[in-house]
Amino acid sequence: MEGQYGAELGGGPGTIWKIDGLTGGVSKFVTIETNSGPGLGNIKFDKSHRQFFVSDLDSGLIHRISIDGTLLDTFDHGVAGRPGDGLPQLADDGSVMDIAGGAFDSEDPETWGYTQDDRRVWGVAVHGGRLYYAVGDAGDVWSVDILEDGKFA
């Protein structure tokens, strides 16, 4: 669709935009290239480390992004988080959103390219040196330490 994702400004499905607080100008901050269209779940600024955390509904990853829009690294709840609670690793199933494909149905979330429910992260919050995040439709809350240098523990 014309204008979708801000394509005329170089945007795509995983693009995060920023708005200048003085001028109101809009520009691209960063694009999560691996997001095929399901979207990003939540963005949180970590003021202690001057970085952002972004949850990805497509892959189930939490992306760590610098203040200038550089992708630094990721945390994979399915592979790194679940085993900490005695659960088996769960890799992304590789589902992607294909709105031009015959199987896509705008009324059926099963066709939207979300990762599996048990690894799909969305809400994120920073508190007390930890990153808290919600997983799946049940909204189970998990957390991971944030190290002194801002990296995931």
Side-chain angles (χ1 to χ4, degrees):
M1 176 168 52
E2 183 85 20
Q4 188 172 8
Y5 306 125
E8 68 279 358
L9 299 174
T15 299
I16 300 170
W17 300 92
K18 65 179 178 177
I19 301 173
D20 186 292
L22 298 175
T23 68
V26 177
S27 61
K28 185 167 65 170
F29 179 61
V30 65
T31 298
I32 308 298
E33 298 287 347
T34 56
N35 192 285
S36 65
L40 305 171
N42 195 233
I43 300 172
K44 180 63 180 172
F45 180 64
D46 172 11
K47 65 182 177 180
S48 296
H49 300 98
R50 300 194 46 78
Q51 63 186 356
F52 294 89
F53 295 106
V54 179
S55 58
D56 187 339
L57 300 173
D58 187 325
S59 65
L61 298 176
I62 299 172
H63 302 272
R64 189 170 71 93
I65 303 169
S66 72
I67 192 78
D68 68 357
T70 302
L71 288 167
L72 299 171
D73 62 1
T74 59
F75 177 76
D76 188 330
H77 166 75
V79 173
R82 290 172 47 90
D85 198 35
L87 298 171
Q89 290 186 347
L90 180 61
D92 181 33
D93 63 8
S95 294
V96 296
M97 179 183 238
D98 180 10
I99 61 174
F104 180 78
D105 180 349
S106 63
E107 296 182 16
D108 181 5
E110 294 295 317
T111 69
W112 296 353
Y114 290 141
T115 194
Q116 306 95 297
D117 187 63
D118 287 340
R119 64 172 282 119
R120 187 172 57 243
V121 296
W122 45 281
V124 291
V126 176
H127 180 74
R130 296 188 70 79
L131 175 70
Y132 293 86
Y133 57 95
V135 177
D137 289 339
D140 295 332
V141 177
W142 292 69
S143 68
V144 60
D145 280 326
I146 302 170
L147 300 174
E148 283 288 320
D149 63 1
K151 293 179 182 176
F152 297 108

